[in-house]
Amino acid sequence: MQLLQFVLFGVLAVEVAAVPFPSNHVLHERRLDAPKAWIKRDRVAESALFPVRIGMTQSNLDKGHDLLMDVSKHGSPKYGKHYSPQEVAEIFAPMQSSVDAVHDWLSSAGIAGEKISQSTNKQWMQFDASAFDLETLLNTKYHIYEHTETGKLTVACDEYHVPAYIQEHVDYITPGTKLVAPFKKTNEDPELRKRIFGVTSGQKLPPLLKDLGMTVEALLAVPELQACGTVVTPACIKALYQVPIGSKADPSNALGIFEDLGDVYSQEDLNLFFATFAQSIPQGTGPKLEAIDGATAPDAVLQAGAESDLDFQVSFPLIYPQGTVLFQTDDPVYEADYVYEGFLNNFLDALDGSYCSTVDPLDPPYPDPSNATGAYKGALQCGVYTPTNVISISYGGQEVDLPIAYQRRQCTEFMKLGMQGVSVVLASGDSGVAGPAGDGSSNGCLGTGKIFSPDFPANCPYITTVGSTTLPAGGNATDDAETSTTRFPSGGGFSNIYATPDYQQTAVSSYLTNSPPPYDSYSTTDNGAIGANGGIYNKGGRGYPDVSAVGDNIVIYNKGAPTLIGGTSASAPIFASILTLINEERLAAGKSTIGFVNPTLYAHPEAFHDITVGSNPGCNTTGFAAAKGWDPVSGLGTPIYPSLLEVFMSL
């Protein structure tokens, strides 16, 4: 009810002349199908008041890809000559012509000029309007939608229109077409935007957690590296990828880790893990907290989140004495009953004030308007933290659940981070070729239930997406026996929004030619022809993952006890740690950070163990198959640290 109450808030409506729908309007955004978890209810009352926000098109976006490639391609004379945050902001600020065009359109439609304002970051035009006036302005109809599982209500339209001459100046408008299921804290709902499943009612352990199967004493009694096929320890990871002991402690080179959804690490768990498996790390060692919008950390041991515990327990032993930075978002009051649809925006806001918008209704408002004890009463934090050189993210959802313009706006922000020398590493998901089940369909697939559903933001071409591998029982860390994971299918596939980027064209083409999937395909961008001609995957899309790392049977301490955990949530911080070590060596040699690494990775497949066994089933199929070279199961393969270091040190 929270959003509906906000929409009906008693504020004077803006007076807009009720005029017939202009003939020069064109379709700007349309939702293909409402997710099955939503039921369309009544039309919104004509007098209901909407906070209208128009995201204006940033300038030079058509040049952004080339600008990023100039500083990221291994053969470019500009390699490593990254941009400052100020330079990036100036390059992409909306053009004055866009600001003027949108303002003139609204004024000509009858909205009083004093009612229209531009956000402080220049990217949003904002005003309030009644449902009747906004429907007239955009030639649309707004309905109340009810989420069947939670009873939560939201307001959306199926499509909306703008004048043809305005379309090039507008990214997207809210309220708009977006319908995303509300999500809860980790221990309440198994279908989260996480890569580690939460505990469901009646279960002692989540699906990707399992008992250690032996005492810690028995494990430690096994000769080092011989039990890696059963239990993966820090020593196993180092041996698998030939990672040396860290030697430097450059304060400018801490690894950044993003956490959300109320999942918070426990220092007691870290201490237990260090004492058992990484004794060179002093007790009390933990991440530096960069709290975003009222977030808190660490948590009491019995409340500790498995995701956050995992991220730090796999990364610290690889990078120490380098440090970590925890970007923890959102205050506990919001996390207890999270009904807002935004994802990652608050984090990006905190890093880039030019991206930040205090008026986007898709995200939690700050100061928190509630009277709940502990509610964060500070302003939304904009541009308050410096991004670390490498950032690891282990959260995501279905591409189809989010408006294309919303995704593109965030993906552009990751492109900007790459231009500044930041590497963003993301877990590819644990559902194979499907998305998380429950919102789009019962099996997380599209259309008839057999069309593959790509992940967001794994689909973004400016992120390094990481799949997961496993060692077979009895395998060790030195026999190159990794396969794709079998206890859960590693996420992988092809985006329906983004075309295959130039840096992976050769690799993707080779896979489709030499190891063609046994399914009909289609070719689209912007969700234009999903399932055309009976196809179930987009052969023309951005392929993911880019790389892989071990992601199952990882031993951690959680809630004070040792256990095994699995998920691409383990793989992402492992690969991010390896990039952090490479930056450590480059910085010591007076070189720049490596920034966006994908072009260099695809140019050097010899720096990876090629994973050729396994698949990622889903959508009533066996999914894609691992193959020689890049594939949409394991990407280029798992890293060989000395080889990757040699490549990047030569640049």
Side-chain angles (χ1 to χ4, degrees), residues 169-527:
H169 301 294
V170 173
D171 274 347
Y172 67 96
I173 298 174
T174 64
T177 64
K178 187 178 182 184
L179 284 173
V180 178
F183 50 97
K184 305 177 183 177
K185 291 177 70 175
T186 307
N187 61 353
E188 297 172 351
D189 187 344
E191 302 302 344
L192 302 181
R193 302 170 186 270
K194 295 185 62 57
R195 302 313 190 189
I196 297 295
F197 295 135
V199 179
T200 58
S201 177
Q203 288 183 313
K204 289 186 177 180
L205 294 174
L208 297 189
L209 285 171
K210 66 180 183 180
D211 291 324
L212 182 59
M214 66 181 80
T215 65
V216 171
E217 291 75 18
L219 171 61
L220 295 177
V222 177
E224 191 175 52
L225 307 184
Q226 290 190 12
C228 295
T230 304
V231 178
V232 177
T233 64
C236 296
I237 299 171
K238 289 182 178 180
L240 274 171
Y241 307 131
Q242 303 174 46
V243 178
I245 297 174
S247 60
K248 302 172 181 65
D250 187 336
S252 72
N253 194 43
L255 168 63
I257 293 179
F258 167 87
E259 301 289 355
D260 196 3
L261 307 178
D263 194 295
V264 182
Y265 82 97
S266 157
Q267 186 61 52
E268 184 174 334
D269 282 335
L270 264 62
N271 289 342
L272 287 167
F273 183 83
F274 295 156
T276 307
F277 298 107
Q279 296 178 7
S280 64
I281 302 179
Q283 293 288 286
T285 300
K288 176 186 177 183
L289 174 63
E290 302 284 35
I292 299 172
D293 301 331
T296 59
D299 213 338
V301 66
L302 295 182
Q303 302 299 318
E307 166 66 31
S308 193
D309 273 351
L310 166 66
D311 286 338
F312 296 110
Q313 290 175 37
V314 296
S315 59
F316 259 122
L318 295 178
I319 66 172
Y320 187 81
Q322 293 287 23
T324 63
V325 171
L326 166 58
F327 296 105
Q328 187 88 41
T329 61
D330 298 329
D331 70 81
V333 172
Y334 274 134
E335 298 294 357
D337 188 23
Y338 202 100
V339 299
Y340 296 93
E341 300 169 345
F343 173 56
L344 282 175
N345 267 0
N346 284 1
F347 166 61
L348 294 171
D349 290 341
L351 299 185
D352 183 0
S354 71
Y355 177 83
C356 190
S357 171
T358 60
V359 294
D360 190 342
L362 301 179
D363 303 306
Y366 290 102
D368 188 334
S370 77
N371 294 319
T373 302
Y376 178 65
K377 294 300 183 179
L380 179 71
Q381 292 179 285
C382 297
V384 295
Y385 297 127
T386 300
T388 52
N389 298 329
V390 180
I391 298 172
S392 179
I393 302 172
S394 294
Y395 296 72
Q398 287 194 103
E399 180 183 73
V400 73
D401 285 343
L402 293 159
I404 293 171
Y406 184 87
Q407 294 184 60
R408 287 193 180 278
R409 204 170 180 93
Q410 282 194 352
C411 188
T412 296
E413 190 67 8
F414 291 122
M415 178 185 70
K416 294 178 187 177
L417 287 172
M419 290 175 62
Q420 296 170 59
V422 176
S423 307
V424 180
V425 177
L426 185 91
S428 72
D430 305 327
S431 303
V433 295
D439 191 32
S441 69
S442 60
N443 66 352
C445 305
L446 306 178
T448 61
K450 197 173 181 179
I451 300 175
F452 298 168
S453 181
D455 268 33
F456 160 87
N459 59 350
C460 175
Y462 305 120
I463 286 175
T464 302
T465 305
V466 188
S468 56
T469 61
T470 188
L471 282 166
N476 61 61
T478 59
D479 59 8
D480 299 341
E482 289 175 273
T483 69
S484 62
T485 46
T486 55
R487 191 161 65 93
F488 61 92
S490 180
F494 299 90
S495 171
N496 287 318
I497 292 177
Y498 302 103
T500 309
D502 50 4
Y503 60 76
Q504 68 167 192
Q505 282 277 3
T506 299
V508 170
S509 177
S510 177
Y511 173 76
L512 295 176
T513 300
N514 299 325
S515 305
Y519 317 115
D520 290 332
S521 64
Y522 55 89
S523 185
T524 186
T525 56
D526 290 349
N527 287 341

